Every structure is written in structure tokens, then in C-alpha cells.
Amino acid sequence: MDSPIIAKAPVRTASLGKREQTKVQNREIILDAARKVFGELGFGATTVRDIIRATPLASGTFYNYFKSKEEVFQAIQDEMALTLRPRLRDERLKAKTVEEFISSTFRSFMEFVAEDHVSVRTIRHTADTTRVRIHTPEIVAGFEELREDIEKAIAQGLFPPVDADYLMASIVGVAFEVADRMMTREHRDPAAAAAFATALFVGGIRMLPHADHPAAKTGTA
Amino acid sequence: MDSPIIAKAPVRTASLGKREQTKVQNREIILDAARKVFGELGFGATTVRDIIRATPLASGTFYNYFKSKEEVFQAIQDEMALTLRPRLRDERLKAKTVEEFISSTFRSFMEFVAEDHVSVRTIRHTADTTRVRIHTPEIVAGFEELREDIEKAIAQGLFPPVDADYLMASIVGVAFEVADRMMTREHRDPAAAAAFATALFVGGIRMLPHADHPAAKTGTA
DNA sequence: ACGATTGGTGACGGGTCGTCAATTTCCGGT
DNA sequence: ACCGGAAATTGACGACCCGTCACCAATCGT
């Protein structure tokens, strides 16, 4: 197999067969084109044709890799989630106090959004008024993970026994919405945005109603 | 004009000309059909054709009323915003304390979402994973209004001098995200959801960094 | 009662969708 | 080095959607 003559070894792409190689390449070509086109036209306005047109490939080839533009979008989002999720989890596990738990989450998130503005802006800041948010399996898993970590923190006595589901939802809502605002500002400051969100939760968690059982049900009044 | 014979007065649709009457009717017919179809297929999957097909009208007629499915969606959202916005504002203006300000906002919002689950579910809970949020002029105005009210409250010394923009964004994020969770629960309890969100902010606002000037800029560290 | 005007109708050209038979490219065995 | 089979690419195709517009019916003002 490995002939003594190494000369024409195909670049060095992990030495896969040519087949697998172009497969990976084409996938990336499509994703890159999609990022570009989504950024220019917005998610709603782009068509599968727009994406392949920004590519040297034929229309049929697209469907060998993705079922629809939605699936491409998902893949792009998943790529981001895959970067961010382990980072967040690691930092949360290291947290010894409520403040550390919360602040590490927001700091990582805001920094990621600010740094990766290429992708994020391309995707989220898309068109004018229409925001699309896809709940990728990977992203949903990230949310669940946060909720589990909150539950764990409650079990360890780090957090008071609050409604973990609502707390997770609140963190997610604040993270996304404040990040969005941050990106519209002239002087982007992820640290300040994270500090704001952190203070809100660190101060607020103490006041939260205590839910003795996981399934929280307070009376009507 | 008003002949003595009232008998066949056309229902009582504000006694407009027949022309204006069917105009209003058709608009409502389209909106109803749209609500139904969006609920069944989700926003992304529905086409303008699907909407008119759920209607006795012809395809061309649709475009006499709306430019696109996006515009129909906007109209539906605006209708909701138009109901909710004055309610929220009134209650906020009556608020004498931080607690009243925050709790009235969340209570009204959560109750509205819970009551109007027909519309809200039809629209927001649309497909499986793809959430679409359109920033209607009316909705954006509602956000701005909240921010202004916060600024007013700060000026009056009701609130500490926090970053009104981020605070507004946080309230919006928590409201939407917690409401979403609330709707997935078996035992929907708007009061509990509102209480949770209120406690979070009432407790948290005290800890928020004080922004002396409206344009908040903390150093990098 | 009658012309003017408004608004509904549905067919049309242009474009997208997802598919599929034909073709090219790659791989492994001889 | 060559060849046959597998795998992937290609682009044309029928079905459908889009937004428009000439045509026609209903309504209005007089």
C-alpha cells in the first residue's frame, strides 16, 4: 500500500480515501456557502438553490448531504453548540458558589457570542424583523444539561430548592436576549453584559419561592 | 338613506357600505384561515396557497390584503400585541413600588398567554423545533415602552440607576421563555410563573451594577 | 337606472422543489 | 496495469408555488 515513493501523497487530509475526503469537503463547502447566503438574504428568503448556486456543485448533490435548508441551518447551529456546550459544562462543574455557577455561564456565553460574531451575526442577526430559532437536539441537550446541573447544585445545597426548570428557562432567556442587545451596541462589552446578568440572578435567586418538590405547584393566589 | 323599514339591515356591522363590509370580512376570513393553517403546518411549512385554500377566496384576492405570509403572521401578532400592550402599560403606571411594577408586568403577560392559548399555541408552539419570532413594529414599540417606563421609574427613584436596556431585555427574555415552559406543563399556573419571575427580578435588581450614565460602559476586566 | 369604479378571479410566466436515470469517479481484486 | 462493481455527481423533469394582470362582476354615486 504505502509505496516507498511518498511524493504524491494527497495533501494530508487525515489520509482518508479520496471518496471520504471529498465527502467531508463537499459538506464543508455547502455549509460555508450556506453561512454566506443566510447572512446575505436571511434564513427565510434563502432557497436551497441559492445555496448550491454559491457552490460549484449540482443541485442534486445538495440532497446527498442535507434534506432541506432547515437541516443545513441546524448543522450550523449544532456546530456552535458543540463548541460552547462542553465549555459551559466544565466551568459550571468547577463552581463552588452560586456566584461562580452563574457568572461562569454568562461569561462564557457572552464571550462566545461576541467573538464568533461572524457566525452569530450571520445567523441570528439575519434579516430585519424575523428571528428564527431552531431547537436543535444539541441545543435542547444543552438546556437540559443546564437544568440538570441546577438540580445537582440544589441537591448539594449550593442553590436553594427553586424550580429548576423555570430557573433554566430564565437563564436561557436572559442570555439570548441580553446577548442580542449587546451585539447591537457600538461598544460591545461581553464582560459587562455577563456582569449584569450575573448580578440579576445572584441577587434574585435568594428571593425565589422555594419549591419543595421538583414539580412545583403553588395555589392560584 | 335610513329607510323606515329596518328589517333587512345587514346584521349590524357598524353599518358600513357593502364594499367596506366585505373588505373587513375577507380580511378576517384570511386571518382565521391563517391561524388555523399555521397551527397545523407550522409557519415555515405553510404557503400562501395553503391559506387561501382554507378559504372560499381566489389566490389573487389574498394579495389585495397582504403581501406575503410573513405579513399575515405580523398582523396576527400585532392583534395580540394590541390587546396586551395597553394593559401592561396601565398597570405599570399605577405601580408605586418595584415589586408592583415587576409583578404586574409578569402577571398580565402570563395570564394573557395562558388564556389566549388558542392563538398563542397556534402561533408560537407551531412546528416541532423551529421557533419563529417576528419583531412587529407593534411588538418592538411594546419593548421600547417598557424601557421608557423603566427609565421613568429610575428618574423617579423607584428603581436604582441600572442599565434600562439590559433590564428590559432581561424581562422580555424571562417572560417569553418562562411562558413557553409554563405552556408545556400539565398544570398551567400563570400566577406561579409570574411569582417566580417577579421574585427573580425583585431580588436581583438590588444587586445590579449601577450605571451612572445611560450609556453603560464598564472596562474590559 | 346607468355609467364609473372598485375589487374578485384564475390563468400565466418565472422560479423552486425533490427525484432519478445516466454518467463519471473511485476502489479493490486479479 | 487493468477491469468490473459500487458510490457519488449531474442536470433535466414533473409538480407545485409565487406574484401579476387582463378580465369580469358587484357596488356606488348620481
Side-chain angles (χ1 to χ4, degrees), chain A residues 1-24:
Chain A
M1 311 201 178
D2 277 16
S3 77
I5 300 162
I6 315 166
K8 279 236 170 168
V11 198
R12 53 152 170 179
T13 353
S15 73
L16 295 159
K18 176 96 191 249
R19 216 107 214 197
E20 298 296 321
Q21 209 172 312
T22 49
K23 218 158 148 184
V24 173

Side-chain angles (χ1 to χ4, degrees), chain A residues 155-185:
Chain A
Q156 291 172 4
L158 191 63
F159 277 31
V162 301
D163 187 319
D165 188 51
Y166 277 167
L167 181 54
M168 178 270 272
S170 299
I171 292 174
V172 168
V174 169
F176 276 72
E177 215 67 35
V178 170
D180 206 49
R181 288 281 148 183
M182 173 182 80
M183 295 306 282
T184 70
R185 295 195 179 180

Side-chain angles (χ1 to χ4, degrees), chain B residues 142-192:
Chain B
F143 293 169
E144 298 295 326
E145 212 170 68
L146 172 56
R147 209 198 52 222
E148 282 164 21
D149 287 351
I150 290 171
E151 278 162 3
K152 234 178 278 170
I154 292 172
Q156 291 172 4
L158 191 63
F159 278 31
V162 301
D163 186 320
D165 188 50
Y166 278 168
L167 181 54
M168 178 270 272
S170 299
I171 291 173
V172 168
V174 170
F176 276 72
E177 215 67 35
V178 170
D180 206 51
R181 288 282 149 181
M182 174 182 79
M183 296 305 282
T184 69
R185 294 195 179 181
E186 222 174 312
H187 201 71
R188 270 168 227 162
D189 187 347

